[in-house]
Amino acid sequence: QMQLVESGGGLVQPGGSLSPSCAASGSIFSRYAMGWYRQAPGKQRELVAVILVSGATTYADSVKGRFTISRDNANNTVYLQMDSLKPEDTAVYYCKAFTGADVYWGQGTQVTVSS
């Protein structure tokens, strides 16, 4: 079993930055691909970014060039650096850990972009 705890969300003005993180415990972090997803009110949960065990990354088109996902295997943590934030980035952001057999989700952290 893996436990995931997100932190670092909050309220920011348009054009600002936030850097939520997700701390993992209970399993071997380096064996899992890690992802950030988000869900806005009334919308389906969507992929934001993924970082594989190899370090390769994938981003949703809507965040390319603005968001950066990274991982620290020594500290069992994945980060999402979010720059140039827009009101449409407002959502609950969830951390996901997955392999071919297992999937784990965190509880989410709220990100609100508003003036």
Side-chain angles (χ1 to χ4, degrees):
Q1 288 280 12
M2 176 178 278
Q3 293 76 46
L4 301 171
V5 179
E6 301 97 333
S7 61
L11 173 64
V12 64
Q13 292 186 342
S17 298
L18 281 174
S19 185
S21 60
C22 172
S25 62
S27 191
I28 302 175
F29 178 78
S30 60
R31 294 182 179 176
Y32 287 78
M34 300 298 298
W36 284 97
Y37 291 70
R38 67 186 181 188
Q39 187 166 17
K43 295 187 176 181
Q44 290 189 332
R45 191 172 297 189
E46 63 177 4
L47 170 72
V48 175
V50 168
I51 184 165
L52 302 181
V53 170
S54 65
T57 57
T58 301
Y59 296 91
D61 288 342
S62 59
V63 307
K64 280 181 182 176
R66 301 189 297 120
F67 290 12
T68 304
I69 188 171
S70 61
R71 64 189 298 160
D72 181 346
N73 289 341
N75 289 300
N76 295 343
T77 303
V78 62
Y79 304 93
L80 185 67
Q81 177 65 42
M82 306 191 294
D83 299 318
S84 302
L85 283 160
K86 304 176 182 179
E88 51 263 43
D89 294 318
T90 295
V92 178
Y93 283 70
Y94 296 91
C95 176
K96 175 184 175 182
F98 58 100
T99 66
D102 301 320
V103 178
Y104 300 100
W105 290 93
Q107 83 290 347
T109 185
Q110 176 70 46
V111 171
T112 302
V113 185
S114 175
S115 55

